[in-house]
Amino acid sequence: MNRGDLKDRLDAKYFALREDLESFKYPLKKLGELVIQEPDYGATSRAVSRISNQQPRYIRITDFGEDGIESNHEFLTADPIDWDHELLKDDLLFARSGATVGKTYIHEDITESAIFAGYCIRFRFDTQKVIPKFVYYFTKIDIYSRWVMAIQRPSGQPNINKEEFKNLIIPVPLQISKQIELVAAMDEARSQRKQKLAEADALLSSLDDYLLNTLELEPPVKDDRKVFAISLQDVKSQGRLNSDYFHPERILALRAMITAAETINCEKLERIVDFVREKIKKPSENYLGLAHVQSNTGELTNVDDMATGDCFTFQADDVLFARLRPYLNKVYCAEMDGCCSPEFHVLRIYDKNLILPNYLAVILRSRLILAQTIHMMTGNTHPRLTNDDVTNLLIPIPKIETQEEISQEVKRRKSEAQRLRSEAETGWQAAKQWFEEQLLGGS
């Protein structure tokens, strides 16, 4: 390298990357040359629970991943709402600090209003110069990942500031039609990936129908009533004043369980599991937070969620049952030893000759249990289940042979879901490599 190049960077990785960029055949542009307005940092408002669709979604670094935001994702809102940071279609966000620095999100869903948080930087592009999704897909290829590693601060908390993102150099075909062609191919690959992932999720989420059919139990009746009457005697006997606890949907689910008890053994959860609370100060390997467990399927997701405090240890075959926001239905049957957020109950089965771990996990994710728990939450900002309510959940326990049959079906579907996910990721990696090769071989 020339001495004249050593103005503000001395690390070799940075200059090696500059040489790699020169291998692209399309004209190189700085990101800051492609915008229609000055990029800006997000709102500094605090995140609070969102109780109405009239409140904007608050997009934070933790809300988006490799493929945007999950369809079943629970959004928060901001307090106060800062409309100066409202997102428009095709706005591109860059995570500017922390373990996820460089992660990107393109805002495509405009069905509801949204604003973005302070640890993100928004770029709004001039579409006469570049298709926003072209830039988004560029951030998915290897050379961008290497740029992030090279440009972020070499010590302390990883960080890339606005000016550094503005100086990101990308190859841009001058013809918009060429950009559209490349974006269309990536859109198709992304769609195929989503389809396979959706098939995998459907395999696992449909376990609930299979479970109820096998147990010969009727699914709970959906009841959306907002107004209903309860007796004073019921309030006194339960020692509860929150009306939702007596919601007809929960009462009907309990009655169904009582009816089921005539033909199948039903026990309170506390009689079949030990609520383990083995606390450690320093997280060990295989840490699991709530974000790691997928809703309704119990599968693990690849998210960046680090422990910030005390954790509970768990063992293989323990069942992790979320205390926080039970409507997200996050239940995981542990396949290894590890530690988890204290927002999980760690359930350790007393007698595996009575109930199997995989069966316990799938029944806790079922509509039979969800119809009870969603009406037992306390708290507004962070709705959760109390310990007493969880210990008293009624669990149907069929013969061990039936549980083994259900467990084998769970394993079969998990294996098929893993195959679909593997195909989805392999195809997506191939598409990203193809995209980079097109930029290297363009004219």
Side-chain angles (χ1 to χ4, degrees):
M1 68 188 71
N2 298 322
R3 183 183 297 272
D5 292 330
L6 300 177
K7 295 179 180 179
D8 56 356
R9 298 297 298 243
L10 296 175
D11 44 311
K13 288 191 297 184
Y14 177 72
F15 286 95
L17 187 65
R18 284 184 54 180
E19 293 178 1
D20 288 343
L21 281 168
E22 293 174 0
S23 65
F24 284 104
K25 303 302 181 183
Y26 291 113
L28 299 177
K29 300 289 184 180
K30 289 184 178 180
L31 212 57
E33 299 172 350
L34 304 172
V35 297
I36 200 169
Q37 66 181 52
E38 179 68 13
D40 54 350
Y41 295 105
T44 57
S45 309
R46 69 188 182 99
V48 296
S49 291
R50 186 168 180 251
I51 59 176
S52 167
N53 290 346
Q54 301 304 312
Q55 297 172 307
R57 298 176 297 178
Y58 197 25
I59 308 295
R60 303 165 300 158
I61 290 175
T62 52
D63 290 323
F64 54 88
E66 168 69 13
D67 195 34
I69 297 171
E70 293 181 0
S71 58
N72 61 355
H73 182 77
E74 184 206 16
F75 287 103
L76 300 179
T77 192
D79 181 26
I81 296 172
D82 186 350
W83 289 109
D84 289 339
H85 295 95
E86 184 176 12
L87 288 170
L88 301 183
K89 189 177 187 306
D90 291 335
D91 281 353
L92 186 64
L93 298 183
F94 289 83
R96 66 181 177 92
S97 64
T100 59
V101 64
K103 186 168 65 168
T104 56
Y105 163 71
I106 189 164
H107 187 62
E108 300 176 278
D109 182 6
I110 57 172
T111 56
E112 299 178 69
S113 58
I115 64 176
F116 67 104
Y119 286 98
C120 301
I121 303 173
R122 172 177 57 188
F123 278 71
R124 185 170 291 166
F125 295 102
D126 183 346
T127 55
Q128 298 298 312
K129 297 178 180 178
V130 69
I131 303 298
K133 274 182 123 177
F134 177 84
V135 181
Y136 174 69
Y137 285 133
F138 177 81
T139 68
K140 300 302 176 185
I141 64 178
D142 179 65
I143 197 166
Y144 172 74
S145 299
R146 287 161 48 214
W147 177 84
V148 170
M149 293 299 296
I151 203 73
Q152 65 184 347
R153 302 296 180 275
S155 61
Q157 185 183 40
N159 179 273
I160 301 176
N161 63 37
K162 181 175 72 172
E163 294 304 315
E164 289 165 331
F165 274 117
K166 287 171 64 176
N167 286 322
L168 168 63
I169 297 173
I170 71 171
V172 181
L174 293 178
Q175 294 182 330
I176 293 294
S177 60
K178 184 61 178 179
Q179 296 179 35
I180 292 174
E181 176 188 329
L182 294 172
V183 166
M186 291 297 287
D187 279 345
E188 176 61 24
R190 187 183 181 198
S191 176
Q192 290 179 8
R193 175 176 180 266
K194 283 186 175 181
Q195 182 178 345
K196 286 185 180 295
L197 293 177
E199 289 177 20
D201 290 345
L203 266 175
L204 299 177
S205 58
S206 62
L207 270 169
D208 192 46
D209 290 330
Y210 164 80
L211 173 71
L212 297 181
N213 288 334
T214 303
L215 297 180
E216 298 182 350
L217 296 177
E218 291 293 327
V221 178
K222 184 66 176 175
D223 194 315
D224 294 321
R225 274 184 282 176
K226 303 298 183 184
V227 179
F228 46 89
I230 57 175
S231 69
L232 183 60
Q233 182 178 353
D234 286 340
V235 173
K236 289 180 177 178
S237 64
Q238 296 293 326
R240 299 289 289 262
L241 290 176
N242 53 314
S243 58
D244 203 41
Y245 187 79
F246 300 94
H247 193 283
E249 187 172 33
R250 176 177 172 273
I251 301 303
L252 290 172
L254 286 173
R255 287 177 183 171
M257 296 294 293
I258 293 171
T259 301
E262 297 175 1
T263 57
I264 189 172
N265 181 31
C266 290
E267 296 285 356
K268 288 184 177 181
L269 188 59
E270 65 179 349
R271 293 180 181 173
I272 56 178
V273 301
D274 182 20
F275 284 75
V276 180
R277 297 177 62 86
E278 297 172 350
K279 189 178 292 187
I280 56 175
K281 294 291 185 181
K282 184 178 180 181
S284 60
E285 292 182 344
N286 298 327
Y287 168 78
L288 296 179
L290 290 176
H292 288 111
V293 179
Q294 190 177 52
S295 296
N296 302 317
T297 70
E299 291 291 276
L300 297 183
T301 60
N302 295 321
V303 298
D304 298 300
D305 183 23
M306 303 299 293
T308 57
D310 294 345
C311 302
F312 290 154
T313 62
F314 63 82
Q315 300 174 4
D317 284 344
D318 286 348
V319 174
L320 308 186
F321 182 65
R323 298 170 61 234
L324 187 66
R325 299 188 180 95
Y327 49 83
L328 293 179
N329 204 21
K330 298 197 172 194
V331 184
Y332 171 65
C333 182
E335 299 173 348
M336 70 291 183
D337 295 353
C339 67
C340 65
S341 162
E343 293 300 348
F344 282 111
H345 288 290
V346 179
L347 312 180
R348 187 165 299 159
I349 294 172
Y350 287 130
D351 183 1
K352 292 180 184 176
N353 292 316
L354 174 66
I355 187 166
L356 300 176
N358 270 319
Y359 171 77
L360 178 60
V362 75
I363 196 67
L364 285 174
R365 280 194 301 272
S366 73
R367 283 173 284 172
L368 289 173
I369 304 302
L370 188 60
Q372 299 176 55
T373 57
I374 59 175
H375 299 295
M376 296 161 64
M377 299 181 297
T378 59
N380 293 321
T381 304
H382 300 290
R384 66 185 68 240
L385 297 172
T386 68
N387 290 349
D388 287 344
D389 285 337
V390 174
T391 59
N392 288 318
L393 287 173
L394 280 176
I395 307 298
I397 306 175
K399 294 179 180 179
I400 200 68
E401 293 81 9
T402 302
Q403 293 183 46
E404 288 173 346
E405 177 187 336
I406 293 170
S407 294
Q408 288 302 315
E409 180 64 13
V410 169
K411 291 177 181 178
R412 185 193 70 78
R413 295 194 186 202
K414 278 188 175 183
S415 177
E416 177 64 9
Q418 289 170 358
R419 183 189 67 79
L420 287 167
R421 289 197 177 104
S422 177
E423 288 182 1
E425 293 309 317
T426 299
W428 182 234
Q429 292 302 320
K432 291 191 290 185
Q433 183 177 349
W434 172 86
F435 187 77
E436 185 165 356
E437 289 171 352
Q438 295 304 302
L439 298 183
L440 287 166
S443 58

